[in-house]
Amino acid sequence: MGISLFCVVIVLFTSLIGALEVEIFPSPLEVLANEDALLKCEYKEPESDLSYVAVQWVLTSQTVQKDVYVFNGGNHQPIRNGAKIFDNALRKGNASLYLPNVKLYEEGTYTCIVLVTPQKEEKSSVMQVSVQPKVSMSKQEIKTENGVQHFLECDVKEFYPKPINVSWFKLSNGKMEYVSTSHSTEDIVMNSDGTFSVSIKVKTEPMLNEQTDYRCVVEHKTIFDHFTLDADSAAEKIPTVYHIIGGVAGFIFCAICIGVCVGLCIRYKKSKGQQEAEEARQESERSLLLPKESQEICKDQESHTHESMQGTDHHNRDELQD
């Protein structure tokens, strides 16, 4: 009887010792990717001497279970890069975990384990990470036997979770009507990073004497209410892939033409410069040779004059003798 009573007392005492009250963040906690998150974890027995306190945060996802942060008797061990627990908060009974720049793969169940010697308790909760979609629009032209068909495509990329609603509406003369998806394609695909993408295409038919616009409406849990993107039916505001490619090709062609023209101009100037230098050299040589030629001509003239004078003298002497 005495032994049984002692065992009951031990059990009651142990249960009282382990009755540490811990409060964790409500589940699920929804966080947008690339934003910061604060995972709340508070306990009711604050201890100013942190050598008696230990805290462990554990993440359990679909693929792994790993420690995120460990605090033990004043020593901090952040396993996840950038994660923080603050000493001043711990002294007040706050073991909340700060996570900067949260990524999609960090979604899962977080367990906060608190030990305030000799009491220990743990609580778990779920953090859900969402990724807001990137929405854009493009125009396509497809040639068929019956002519050219025009399409507008609403591209919704890199969103999470998967559930999403993408719709096309036609705005005509102030009225909006839902466009049937019978001429559209819808195929949600998973990307390598775990996000999803989808493209919704609708065939456009221009109407005479009618102002017609098209609107893509996207509904996702990360978007408050909904997101709309309008397209003018004139289509000049939305360049086609062909126009974009043509613009790039035109730019490259113009760059090549400019390069060729510059090269030809440089080559022409260089050739012209060489020709002018050669003409100058020849002119210089002629100027150097000219004095020598003049001297020779002068000598010939002097010699001829001298001979003429001698002939005249001989003639005069002959006449005198006669």
Side-chain angles (χ1 to χ4, degrees):
M1 180 68 178
I3 295 175
S4 300
L5 181 60
F6 177 75
C7 291
V8 170
V9 172
I10 292 297
V11 170
L12 291 174
F13 180 75
T14 304
S15 63
L16 289 174
I17 290 178
L20 180 65
E21 296 184 27
V22 174
E23 182 180 356
I24 199 170
F25 62 91
S27 181
L29 175 65
E30 296 185 358
V31 180
L32 279 177
N34 302 319
E35 292 190 356
D36 300 345
L38 183 64
L39 308 187
K40 176 184 175 182
C41 181
E42 297 178 349
Y43 50 96
K44 301 298 183 181
E45 298 292 335
E47 175 59 61
S48 59
D49 188 355
L50 296 182
S51 61
Y52 295 101
V53 179
V55 178
Q56 181 181 11
W57 278 94
V58 181
L59 167 61
T60 304
S61 64
Q62 296 180 352
T63 56
V64 297
Q65 180 176 5
K66 60 181 180 180
D67 289 341
V68 179
Y69 200 103
V70 176
F71 173 84
N72 189 7
N75 297 319
H76 292 267
Q77 293 180 311
I79 292 86
R80 194 269 198 192
N81 186 33
K84 292 182 181 180
I85 293 178
F86 303 96
D87 287 348
N88 292 336
L90 285 171
R91 293 188 179 94
K92 299 177 183 180
N94 188 347
S96 299
L97 177 66
Y98 171 73
L99 297 176
N101 197 23
V102 173
K103 301 300 181 184
L104 179 59
Y105 57 79
E106 295 183 290
E107 180 179 83
T109 300
Y110 284 80
T111 302
C112 177
I113 306 171
V114 180
L115 172 65
V116 181
T117 306
Q119 304 177 76
K120 179 182 177 182
E121 186 59 273
E122 64 180 60
K123 288 290 180 65
S124 298
S125 190
V126 175
M127 181 180 75
Q128 291 182 350
V129 181
S130 301
V131 184
Q132 198 170 66
K134 300 175 182 178
V135 184
S136 61
M137 193 178 295
S138 61
K139 182 172 72 72
Q140 296 181 354
E141 295 181 354
I142 302 177
K143 293 183 178 180
T144 64
E145 295 180 354
N146 298 325
V148 179
Q149 294 184 348
H150 300 272
F151 293 89
L152 283 174
E153 188 169 39
C154 188
D155 298 315
V156 187
K157 299 179 179 180
E158 301 175 9
F159 58 88
Y160 185 88
K162 185 177 181 179
I164 195 169
N165 185 25
V166 183
S167 305
W168 274 106
F169 291 86
K170 184 170 72 172
L171 308 176
S172 179
N173 295 329
K175 298 180 181 180
M176 185 172 67
E177 60 176 316
Y178 175 74
V179 179
S180 174
T181 58
S182 58
H183 299 289
S184 305
T185 60
E186 178 175 358
D187 186 17
I188 299 179
V189 296
M190 177 179 285
N191 304 316
S192 58
D193 60 355
T195 60
F196 298 92
S197 297
V198 63
S199 295
I200 307 296
K201 184 162 58 178
V202 62
K203 183 179 179 182
T204 60
E205 297 178 357
M207 304 294 291
L208 296 176
N209 301 323
E210 184 176 319
Q211 183 63 34
T212 303
D213 293 334
Y214 289 87
R215 172 175 294 175
C216 177
V217 179
V218 180
E219 296 175 284
H220 191 255
K221 67 174 297 184
T222 60
I223 303 174
F224 178 74
D225 196 7
H226 58 268
F227 177 84
T228 62
L229 186 62
D230 290 351
D232 194 324
S233 60
E236 281 83 1
K237 298 180 180 179
I238 308 174
T240 62
V241 176
Y242 172 79
H243 289 157
I244 295 174
I245 294 175
V248 174
F251 174 78
I252 295 173
F253 178 75
C254 290
I256 293 173
C257 291
I258 292 171
V260 171
C261 292
V262 171
L264 291 175
C265 289
I266 294 173
R267 185 175 179 180
Y268 172 75
K269 290 182 178 180
K270 185 176 180 181
S271 177
K272 185 177 181 181
Q274 291 177 349
Q275 183 179 358
E276 291 177 352
E278 181 64 21
E279 292 177 354
R281 185 182 64 81
Q282 292 176 359
E283 183 68 24
S284 177
E285 290 178 354
R286 284 197 298 270
S287 64
L288 292 174
L289 293 173
L290 182 60
K292 294 182 180 181
E293 294 176 352
S294 299
Q295 292 175 4
E296 292 177 354
I297 294 171
C298 290
K299 287 180 181 180
D300 292 341
Q301 290 177 352
E302 289 177 357
S303 177
H304 180 70
T305 303
H306 180 69
E307 291 177 354
S308 298
M309 291 178 67
Q310 286 181 350
T312 303
D313 290 338
H314 286 298
H315 179 70
N316 292 332
R317 281 195 299 268
D318 291 339
E319 289 181 352
L320 289 175
Q321 291 177 359
D322 292 339

